[in-house]
Amino acid sequence: MKGFRSVGGAQRFLAAFSGISPHFRPCRHLMTAARYLAEMTIRSAIWDQVTGATVLPSVA
């Protein structure tokens, strides 16, 4: 069970995680190091915006 308290809890986590996980796993073997770094920078910025981790500047 790998730390999950119930099968239902594991299923709920994995259902949500399956949509999020590919966002942070680009096909690294098909990219140069510079392209991978740029891609992960973009994806991290998108993630921060989606989760509200960064506050977007407001228009005055």
Side-chain angles (χ1 to χ4, degrees):
M1 291 281 292
K2 296 287 183 184
F4 292 102
R5 294 180 187 205
S6 67
V7 173
Q11 288 176 337
R12 284 190 302 277
F13 171 78
L14 293 172
F17 187 72
S18 67
I20 297 167
S21 178
H23 182 76
F24 293 103
R25 292 186 304 145
C27 296
R28 171 64 183 102
H29 65 285
L30 300 176
M31 299 180 184
T32 63
R35 176 67 185 135
Y36 177 77
L37 180 61
E39 184 69 26
M40 290 308 294
T41 301
I42 292 167
R43 290 179 183 214
S44 293
I46 291 169
W47 181 253
D48 289 345
Q49 288 178 354
V50 169
T51 61
T54 58
V55 178
L56 299 176
S58 61
V59 177

